[in-house]
Amino acid sequence: MRKRAIAVLILVILGNVGAWALWNRPVAERSWGGAINGVSYTPFHDPNKSPTRGDRGNADDIDKDMATLEGSVKGVRTYSTTDGSEQVAPVARKYGLPVTAGAWIAGKPEIDEPEINGLIKLARENNNVRRVLVGNEAILRTDISVPQAIELVKRVKKKVAVPVSIAEPWHVWLQHPELAEAVDFLAIHLLPYWEGVPIDDAVNYAMFRYNELKTKYPNKHILISEIGWPADGPWRRGAEASQVNQAKFIRTFLNVAAQNRLDYFIMEAFDQPWKREIEGTAGTSWGLWDAWRAPKFPMAGEVLEVKNWPYMCATSIAVSFLPLVFFLGRRRDLKVGGLLFYGALIQAVGSVLVFTVTAASAAGLATTTEIAWGFLIFCQLVLLCVMLIDGLELTEVVWQESFRRKFQPCSAAPLPTAPKVSIHVPCYNEPPHMVIETLDALARLDYPNFEVLLLDNNTKDPEVWKPVEQYCRQLGPRFRFFHLDNWPGFKAGALNFGLTVTAEDAQHIAVIDSDYQVHPDWLKATIPHFDRPEVGFVQSPQDYREWDEDLFQRMINWEYAGFFHIGMIQRNERNAIIQHGTMTIIRKTALEETGRWGEWCITEDADLGLRLFEHGYEAVYMPESFGKGLVPDSFSAYKTQRFRWAYGAVQILKHHWRELAPRGKRLNGGQKYHFITGWLPWFADAAHMIFGIAGIIWSLGLLLFPKYFEFPPNAFMIPTLSVFAFKVAASLWLYEARVKCGFWDKVGAAVAGMALTHTVGRAMWLGMFTSGRPFVRTPKCEDKPALMAVFLMAQEEIALLVALWGAALAIVLVFGHENRDAFMWSGLLVVQSLPYLAALITSLINVFREFHFGHRRPQPVPVEAAH
């Protein structure tokens, strides 16, 4: 590696370390130096155990837990006497820990009776059981009524010699003085997080509620039986669950509790992964120790949000190191800015993957969450790959120092002995006047040696093709007309027929679509490049005319321009361009050597180009325009055209996969890269369909089955939104660098391209699971009311748009008042809907242009002979 590459590598690594350190910068909070009065305890922090599945705590694990707590806490509180928790009291006695024992009351005799009997037994047999609690939030859950709770308290008081109460949130005690009268002490829950109180106000809020009860019941001892803050979980109004906030709340409260001599139990000793099933992510992370008995934060000194961030940072550097070295070592053609930009992008992707996988490895994921994480990580990999591909293209466009394969049009006058070119013009059911204009342009070619074959393919109406036949006769012997009835193979079949009637002395075959008007210099500017025998074909860009007065056509013109002025130029650098079936010239011997036009493929032009590369030929691409055709006249035709391109891409990949695979020997690495990554964004469009549908289904799960569904974590949602923002910014940047159009034309092109997302996605799925040529009907909207035409051209997109917006609105209305993650999820649904909104907008622009101006010119894009 050269010195500048090494310098960039060091800068990228240092930048990554700095970003991780900035994100996890230490936070100074009030310290605590004493023992904790008490902690709530449940013996199910093992990720593989859950009381909801009938698991029981065992004495060995409880012993290890008590040993962990010894010296740090002065007592423990339990919740049940039948799930193994009844073993806590005798084990805790070994460590000198008093116990406040609880019975789990559910309002069902088959559950309540064993619990009460066990509670009485525990209090009688263990002298370290100092208090008992007959139920935990049973009134809050409405499992039992207040009178029933009072009866249970009285019953237990008669059987034990220790104080008796029931644990409920503060507001239950405020609302029911009769309950307070019946118990020996108040056992109150103060959990500001669940009430949406911001962290800076949380301890003061808890003390306000405590003092409120103390004022109302001055003669009752108050035990704060639960108080705490989670380290992870969704936002609840102003309350953010985080490790730093948990440490802040606990440390602050412990100091306040010591000053006010409060009796309390911190919620809770150890993280409880099983609670994800009933309380979501937040329910799992209230512990002072994690599920493996490690302290989650220190009680003194600074606090880190992710305490193992140096290891995560080092892992992200290790993951990205080889790709970075490979990129920096090979790309000597890029300026330093490009090396830094793309190097930082590679490193950022590595860091995102490490962060996401680490978050996904959290213990105790529910089954649905595990499935969701697996799916989300796969989706994120696809998105990040697309971002790296887009990022490399942007890097090469903006920061490439020079072109390795730049070809210029030839300007010298052709000699009379110039090689003969046979120009093939496939035609299907096209307006005669349009084809005649194409022939007139060909007649004006400044080239001495060419012929034109007009190949009319299966046009049924003689009134359409006979005028063209007659005009060819008028133009002289250079122009020959062939009408093919019931001819197989569509455009490829017609072109293969053309080869059988091509002049024997023709050395090159040129192809244009029947709507193209070529420049007189086309052949003389391009044919000299065939002097090199390795050149198999010369491609000029597709270009268009008569679009500037129509907004819809203006949008799609600039959308096309992006590919031919950005993507094709970059592909040409690696001899990997896509051949297009118009404005292309092929060496005749190469065409015959590679098997002629492939009638099996719906995109026979791209297939031929790839076969030419496999046979060792080079391509020449020049971005100069030498011919202009007509853009599609309707959104439905635009979609139909792109559907064919996408479907054909899958056919080609399936047919040529052996050569595109790493072991394939007939294509070089650059060619494999472009033919795979060039179509990968279309596979991302296919994935987008699944993302959108999955988002709707997941939203229904959140709304209908909240016990089993929770919001996807921000570790997925934030990168996903960031990738979308990157793609939009990169697209505008690329257009600014290469496509000479105004800002709003750039926006229009982006909208037009985005509007095809669903169409491309459908084509890719069909291409993956079918192999025949699909019939795609172009909607006939001319005689429909304007709004009906809009719906017909974008009906699937509109349905998905409405579904996604409906889901987003429902999520905000149901969850938005208490959970900020609802807004993040709804935002993600809205972003997913943007391609469908783009389709609706594009359809509206197309239809209402026609509605206002009241006419259409004839459809210029043939169904089977399109580009």
Side-chain angles (χ1 to χ4, degrees), residues 255-274:
N255 281 280
V256 170
Q259 293 169 5
N260 292 275
R261 301 179 179 275
L262 302 180
D263 191 4
Y264 63 88
F265 287 102
I266 296 295
M267 174 73 185
E268 60 193 317
F270 302 97
D271 282 347
Q272 302 290 311
W274 68 274

Side-chain angles (χ1 to χ4, degrees), residues 380-394:
Q380 193 169 96
L381 279 171
V382 173
L383 290 173
L384 292 174
C385 285
V386 171
M387 186 173 77
L388 285 174
I389 293 166
D390 291 344
L392 181 59
E393 183 177 55
L394 177 63

Side-chain angles (χ1 to χ4, degrees), residues 219-340:
N219 298 321
K220 287 286 184 179
H221 177 73
I222 298 178
L223 166 67
I224 302 175
S225 47
E226 281 186 3
I227 189 167
W229 195 274
D232 193 14
W235 279 81
R236 292 190 61 90
R237 297 191 292 277
E240 179 188 8
S242 72
Q243 188 60 78
V244 167
N245 284 353
Q246 183 187 39
K248 179 176 184 176
F249 181 88
I250 296 297
R251 286 192 190 181
T252 303
F253 172 75
L254 291 177
N255 281 280
V256 170
Q259 293 169 5
N260 292 275
R261 301 179 179 275
L262 302 180
D263 191 4
Y264 63 88
F265 287 102
I266 296 295
M267 174 73 185
E268 60 193 317
F270 302 97
D271 282 347
Q272 302 290 311
W274 68 274
K275 287 187 179 180
R276 189 180 299 270
E277 303 169 21
I278 56 175
E279 295 179 359
T281 304
T284 69
S285 62
W286 293 72
L288 301 181
W289 287 263
D290 65 22
W292 296 273
R293 303 186 181 92
K296 289 164 62 178
F297 58 88
M299 288 296 176
E302 296 178 324
V303 180
L304 297 173
E305 182 61 39
V306 181
K307 63 182 179 182
N308 64 336
W309 75 263
Y311 301 100
M312 295 172 66
C313 178
T315 303
S316 72
I317 293 172
V319 167
S320 306
F321 187 77
L322 288 180
L324 272 171
V325 170
F326 178 79
F327 169 72
L328 295 173
R330 290 175 62 91
R331 297 312 303 265
R332 298 183 179 183
D333 59 324
L334 295 176
K335 299 175 183 177
V336 173
L339 296 176
L340 277 171

Side-chain angles (χ1 to χ4, degrees), residues 455 457 484 487-498 597-599 604:
L455 307 171
N457 177 23
L484 307 177
W487 197 260
F490 302 96
K491 181 180 178 181
L495 290 171
N496 281 332
F497 169 81
W597 299 95
E599 297 181 25
E604 70 294 320

